[in-house]
Structures are given as C-alpha cells and as structure tokens.
Amino acid sequence: MTKDLEFKPTDWGGHAAYVDVGNNYALSIVYGGIAKCDENTFEVAVMYKHEIDYKGFGDPLGYQTPEQIEQLIQKIKNKNMENKVDYITPIKDQLDENMHLHCSVFITIGSQIETPRYYNYGGYDEETKKIKIRSTQTDRLFFWVDISDQSEEYIGDFMYTIDIVSEFWAQFKEYRTNFLKENYPTIDRN
C-alpha cells in the first residue's frame, strides 16, 4: 500500500502522503525528518475533517508498518460503518410516492432524458427544510422531500455538512436502483 502513495517533501525535512479513507477521515503518513519512524516504518496521524482526530484515535502513531497502516484503515472504515447515518429510511415513504409518480409520468409521456434513472440529490432548502431530488439531465424534472419532522442531527447534516452530498447520493443511488428494479424493471427498454 505505501509503495503506491505519492510522498511529497515537507518543510521539516521529511516526506508526507495523504490517504482519503472516506466519511471525512484520512491518514497523514510521514517518514524522515522529525517523524517517529525508521527505515521500514512510518508515523501516521488519523485526520478527521483535516484535523488530527485526538479524541477518536489519539496522538499520531510512530513506527507503523505497512501492515499496521492497513489495519488502521480497516478500523477507520469499520468505525465509519458504525457511525453511518441512514438518510433513506426516514424519508422512504416520500421517496417511494414521488418515484412512483415520476415513473408513471415517464412511462406515459417521457423521453429518454426524462428517465428517473437520472435522479440525484439536487440541494437543500433551509427555509422549508426540504431536500430536492432532481434529474441530472433536465432542470424541469424534480421533486421535494420534506425532512422538517426529522431529528436535528439529520437536518443539521444537510445544513452544515458539504460531505452529505456524496453520502446521501451513494445511499440514494442504491435506493433508486433497487426501487426501479423492483417496481419498474423495464422502464428504460425501448
């Protein structure tokens, strides 16, 4: 793993690489200079939102082998899965209702660019507390999902976290794919 990293020189005489682990976590892997390492090891810091995660993972770890770094990455990924917010289940009924409506309209009068297969996260309206689900192909196709009755944590993610886009999108894409397979398996066939 460390062989594939792009290490760049640092101001303090060492070399550093940055590995994105997902869900706002990354590893800072360094060697040389003042780093706690030797010829075959590295110093590693777990980063959360570009800051060392002292609370979750403590001080940077010295003398880490490539195998230990892989284990640390797996530990972070497991932690991410434990802390993962389910964005779809709380709004599934609204998504189902709107997707059925949009699929029915598409089947009746839609063109290929209007397929619900192109639906994606389209933004959040803070005033109305609604999420916009829109087509990536045409601006005229969209629907709103009301999240005003969700927890403050759930709503706060949409208000304050830019990374919500990728996490919500990943969950919505899985939902959308399964919804279409189960309910409209031939929707895009000519």
Side-chain angles (χ1 to χ4, degrees), residues 167-181:
E167 184 57 37
F168 181 85
W169 165 229
Q171 291 182 30
F172 179 77
K173 183 178 179 182
E174 182 180 352
Y175 156 80
R176 183 195 66 199
T177 300
N178 291 335
F179 176 87
L180 293 173
K181 279 182 182 177

Side-chain angles (χ1 to χ4, degrees), residues 116-123 131-136 141-143 165 168-170 172-173 176:
R117 286 203 186 283
Y118 296 128
Y119 282 16
N120 192 343
Y121 176 74
I131 301 167
K132 187 176 189 179
I133 304 295
R134 67 172 185 83
S135 170
T136 59
L141 295 175
F142 64 91
F143 60 86
V165 174
F168 181 85
W169 165 229
F172 179 77
K173 183 178 179 182
R176 183 195 66 199

Side-chain angles (χ1 to χ4, degrees), residues 96-114:
D96 286 350
E97 181 180 338
N98 280 290
M99 288 295 287
H100 278 298
L101 175 65
H102 282 250
C103 287
S104 297
V105 170
F106 170 71
I107 289 168
T108 306
I109 59 173
S111 69
Q112 236 2 67
I113 67 166
E114 296 170 333

Side-chain angles (χ1 to χ4, degrees), residues 11-168:
D11 294 340
W12 43 267
H15 291 79
Y18 192 77
V19 178
D20 184 4
V21 183
N23 213 20
N24 292 313
Y25 281 95
L27 293 182
S28 172
I29 303 173
V30 298
Y31 71 88
I34 60 171
K36 297 176 195 166
C37 63
D38 59 28
E39 188 175 311
N40 300 312
T41 63
F42 302 86
E43 183 175 333
V44 181
V46 177
M47 312 294 285
Y48 181 71
K49 294 185 178 181
H50 307 287
E51 301 287 333
I52 295 177
D53 187 9
Y54 291 107
K55 185 176 176 185
F57 287 91
D59 290 331
L61 305 166
Y63 306 98
Q64 297 294 294
T65 65
E67 293 78 22
Q68 289 171 311
I69 294 171
E70 287 290 340
Q71 290 171 356
L72 183 58
I73 289 171
Q74 192 56 50
K75 183 177 179 182
I76 294 167
K77 288 182 177 180
N78 290 343
K79 179 179 172 117
N80 284 343
M81 293 308 291
E82 292 169 11
N83 296 331
K84 189 175 179 180
V85 175
D86 177 0
Y87 292 107
I88 300 302
T89 301
I91 59 173
K92 188 174 181 308
D93 290 343
Q94 289 182 71
L95 290 173
D96 286 350
E97 181 180 338
N98 280 290
M99 288 295 287
H100 278 298
L101 175 65
H102 282 250
C103 287
S104 297
V105 170
F106 170 71
I107 289 168
T108 306
I109 59 173
S111 69
Q112 236 2 67
I113 67 166
E114 296 170 333
T115 175
R117 286 203 186 283
Y118 296 128
Y119 282 16
N120 192 343
Y121 176 74
Y124 173 70
D125 184 322
E126 191 173 339
E127 188 175 313
T128 62
K129 293 189 168 109
K130 291 182 180 180
I131 301 167
K132 187 176 189 179
I133 304 295
R134 67 172 185 83
S135 170
T136 59
Q137 303 297 305
T138 176
D139 291 335
R140 69 176 186 257
L141 295 175
F142 64 91
F143 60 86
W144 293 97
V145 176
D146 185 353
I147 63 169
S148 62
D149 61 344
Q150 300 304 316
S151 71
E152 287 301 318
E153 178 185 6
Y154 184 98
I155 293 172
D157 282 351
F158 287 94
M159 289 174 58
Y160 305 115
T161 308
I162 191 99
D163 297 319
I164 184 66
V165 174
S166 61
E167 184 57 37
F168 181 85

